Every structure is written in structure tokens, then in C-alpha cells.
């Protein structure tokens, strides 16, 4: 058990969230876009656990469980859409999927 | 501020997580990126443990690194990425594409620093929250939220099954 103020883990969560945001904005490969979303979700989960530490309450870890739950459901759907897109467009470039209609192959 | 050994473990794991996450989003090969992210999650598990959340630390290793990221890794290996894909991916990562994201990230970071520097309320409670306390709260007062979470997982399952079905068009 560390003897830190709540600001230190919150700063760590902020840094991780910003790194995830940079990856989300800068990368074009959909694998890295999904991974950046996971990084940001994980940073938010750290924020909940930090808040639980700050107030000495189990609610932070309960919200952590729900965030993991959400990440699992999100990644299952995200990966299946990634596989469908790969078979349709034969690329993982997010700019290639900019048409809201069937592609003419 | 006196620095104890546990504090050093926290700072070590925190810097390890930050470095491996930064490495993960800059790789051109997705497998290397994912493996670096798994390392970062293991560092985060140590951070959770030092913050007095041993149950969250165990879940981070078992569910996040062990199940979710391994599923991710399997799918990336199914994508059959060859050398040309990785080379094209590397050609997209130029220094110019990072300028606007870094500006936006700096704006967000500045606001967060402003929040962090405010001195409000007492310090931390500093106590280890046992898995028993978490489970007691989760399955008594928060039971409705657990049911909602199971509905979310069911929706994810049905959605993944529907989208993963081979379609009649043959694509």
C-alpha cells in the first residue's frame, strides 16, 4: 500500500489516456485504433480504482469490473467488424471505409 | 515526503506502463504493438496492487491481459498480415501525422494539470480494499448493475454471432 496522494495515480491515468488519444487520432490501421480505445478504457479504469483508494470504498473496484466488462463486449464486436472489413476491402486502412454503401469489387 | 519501498515499486511500474504504451502505439507491426500493450497491462496490474486494490490487479492480469488481449492477438494473427502490409503501415507513420494529435493532447493535458493542482478535501484514505469487500458490495447493493452488465455481454455475444455468420453473398 503506497503512501501517495491521489494526484499521482490520477496523473498517470491522464498520461495514459492522452497516449491512447494520440494513437487514436494519428494511426490509420484499424488494429491500432482499437488498441488505442483499449488504452483509453484502461486509463479510465485506473481512474476509478484511484477514486476507490481516495475514498476508501470498494465502489472503485466495482466500476473497474464494469469497465472490463464493457471492454470485453466492445472488443468482441470491434474485432468481428475488423474481420468483415478485411474480407470486404482487403485492407485495414480506416480511410478506405468511407463509403456508406456496398463497394464495387 | 518520505519515499518508501512500495512507492518505488509504484513509480517503477507506472513509468514502465507509460513507456510500453508509448512504444505500443508507434509500432508498425501490430503484433509487436499488442505485445507491448500486454506488457503495459502487466505494469498496470502492479500499479493496482500498490494502490491497495489486489482484486483489480488480479482481474487486470487474468481478464484484460489474459483473455481480451489474447483474443485480440489471435484475430490479428488470423488477418494474415504480410511484409508489404507492415511496410505500408510504416510509411504512414511519419512525424507530420503526430503534430495535430500532440497539440490536442497538450490542450487536454493542460486542463488536467489545472485540475490536479487544485488542493481540495482531505488526503487519501490509504487502506487495502479486500476482494471480500468488493464481492459483498457487488452482489448485494449493486446486483442490478450486475444484471445490466450481463445483458451487455449477451448483446455483445448475439452481435458477434450475427456479424460473424458467413453471409449468403459469400463475402
Amino acid at each position: 500500500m503506497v503512501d501517495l496522494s491521489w494526484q499521482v495515480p490520477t496523473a498517470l491515468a491522464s498520461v495514459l489516456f492522452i497516449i491512447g488519444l494520440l494513437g487514436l487520432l494519428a494511426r490509420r490501421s484499424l488494429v491500432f485504433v482499437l488498441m488505442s480505445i483499449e488504452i483509453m478504457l484502461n486509463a479510465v479504469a485506473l481512474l476509478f480504482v484511484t477514486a476507490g483508494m481516495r475514498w476508501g470504498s470498494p465502489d472503485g473496484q466495482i466500476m473497474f469490473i464494469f469497465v472490463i466488462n464493457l471492454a470485453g463486449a466492445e472488443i468482441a464486436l470491434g474485432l468481428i467488424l475488423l474481420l468483415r472489413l478485411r474480407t470486404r476491402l482487403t485492407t485495414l486502412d480506416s480511410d478506405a471505409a468511407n463509403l456508406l454503401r456496398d463497394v464495387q469489387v | 515526503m518520505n519515499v518508501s519501498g512500495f512507492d518505488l515499486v509504484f513509480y517503477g511500474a507506472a513509468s514502465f506502463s507509460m513507456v510500453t504504451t508509448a512504444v505500443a502505439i508507434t509500432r508498425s507491426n501490430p503484433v509487436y504493438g499488442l505485445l507491448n500493450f500486454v506488457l503495459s497491462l502487466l505494469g498496470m496490474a502492479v500499479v493496482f496492487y500498490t494502490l491497495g486494490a489486489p482484486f483489480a490487479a488480479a482481474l487486470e492480469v487474468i481478464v484484460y491481459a489474459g483473455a481480451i488481449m489474447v483474443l485480440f492477438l489471435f484475430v490479428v494473427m488470423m488477418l494474415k498480415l504480410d511484409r508489404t502490409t507492415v511496410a505500408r503501415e510504416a510509411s504512414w507513420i511519419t512525424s507530420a501525422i503526430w503534430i495535430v494529435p500532440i497539440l490536442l493532447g497538450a490542450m487536454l493535458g493542460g486542463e488536467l494539470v489545472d485540475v490536479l493542482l487544485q488542493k481540495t478535501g482531505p488526503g487519501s484514505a490509504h487502506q487495502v480494499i479486500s476482494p471480500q469487500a468488493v464481492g459483498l458490495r457487488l452482489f448485494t447493493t449493486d446486483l442490478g448493475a450486475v444484471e445490466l452488465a450481463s445483458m451487455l455481454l449477451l448483446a455483445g455475444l448475439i452481435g458477434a454471432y450475427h456479424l460473424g455468420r458467413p453471409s449468403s453473398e459469400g463475402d
Side-chain angles (χ1 to χ4, degrees), chain A residues 22 25-28, chain B residues 25-28 87-102:
Chain A
L22 292 187
L25 291 172
R27 297 303 299 264
R28 284 168 72 184
Chain B
I25 62 157
T26 48
R27 294 302 93 183
S28 54
R88 196 180 49 186
E89 189 65 40
S91 72
W92 286 340
I93 310 172
T94 55
S95 50
I97 63 164
W98 295 102
I99 295 172
V100 175
I102 283 175

Side-chain angles (χ1 to χ4, degrees), chain B residues 123-147:
Chain B
S124 299
H126 290 308
Q127 58 187 33
V128 176
I129 296 154
S130 67
Q132 197 180 10
V134 178
L136 263 178
R137 179 69 70 85
L138 190 61
F139 289 113
T140 51
T141 50
D142 292 351
L143 200 56
V146 175
E147 294 300 328

